[in-house]
Coordinates of all heavy atoms in Angstrom, one line a residue:
Chain B
G37 N -1.7 21.7 -17.5 CA -0.3 21.7 -17.6 C 0.4 23.0 -17.3 O 1.6 23.2 -17.6
A38 N -0.4 23.9 -16.7 CA 0.2 25.2 -16.3 C 1.1 25.1 -15.1 O 1.8 26.1 -14.7 CB -0.9 26.2 -16.2
G39 N 1.0 24.0 -14.4 CA 1.8 23.9 -13.2 C 1.1 24.0 -11.9 O 1.6 24.0 -10.8
K40 N -0.3 23.9 -12.0 CA -1.1 24.1 -10.7 C -0.9 22.9 -9.8 O -0.6 23.1 -8.6 CB -2.6 24.2 -11.1 CG -2.9 25.3 -12.1 CD -4.4 25.4 -12.4 CE -5.0 24.2 -12.9 NZ -4.9 23.8 -14.3
S41 N -1.1 21.7 -10.3 CA -1.0 20.5 -9.5 C 0.4 20.3 -9.0 O 0.6 20.0 -7.8 CB -1.5 19.3 -10.2 OG -2.9 19.3 -10.5
T42 N 1.4 20.6 -9.8 CA 2.8 20.5 -9.4 C 3.0 21.4 -8.2 O 3.7 21.0 -7.3 CB 3.7 20.8 -10.6 OG1 3.4 20.0 -11.7 CG2 5.1 20.6 -10.2
T43 N 2.5 22.6 -8.3 CA 2.7 23.5 -7.2 C 2.1 22.9 -5.9 O 2.8 22.9 -4.9 CB 2.0 24.9 -7.5 OG1 2.5 25.4 -8.7 CG2 2.2 25.9 -6.4
L44 N 0.9 22.4 -6.0 CA 0.3 21.8 -4.8 C 1.1 20.6 -4.3 O 1.4 20.5 -3.1 CB -1.1 21.4 -5.0 CG -2.2 22.5 -5.2 CD1 -3.6 21.9 -5.0 CD2 -2.0 23.7 -4.3
N45 N 1.6 19.8 -5.2 CA 2.3 18.6 -4.8 C 3.7 19.0 -4.2 O 4.2 18.3 -3.3 CB 2.6 17.7 -6.0 CG 1.3 17.0 -6.5 OD1 0.3 16.9 -5.7 ND2 1.3 16.5 -7.7
A46 N 4.2 20.1 -4.7 CA 5.5 20.6 -4.1 C 5.2 21.0 -2.6 O 6.0 20.7 -1.7 CB 6.1 21.7 -4.9
I47 N 4.1 21.8 -2.4 CA 3.8 22.3 -1.1 C 3.6 21.1 -0.1 O 4.1 21.1 1.0 CB 2.5 23.2 -1.1 CG1 2.8 24.4 -2.0 CG2 2.1 23.6 0.3 CD1 1.6 25.3 -2.2
S48 N 2.8 20.1 -0.6 CA 2.5 19.0 0.3 C 3.6 18.0 0.4 O 3.5 17.0 1.2 CB 1.2 18.3 -0.2 OG 1.5 17.6 -1.4
G49 N 4.7 18.1 -0.4 CA 5.8 17.2 -0.2 C 5.8 16.0 -1.1 O 6.7 15.2 -1.1

Side-chain angles (χ1 to χ4, degrees):
Chain B
K40 308 182 302 281
S41 291
T42 305
T43 304
L44 291 198
N45 289 340
I47 297 172
S48 66

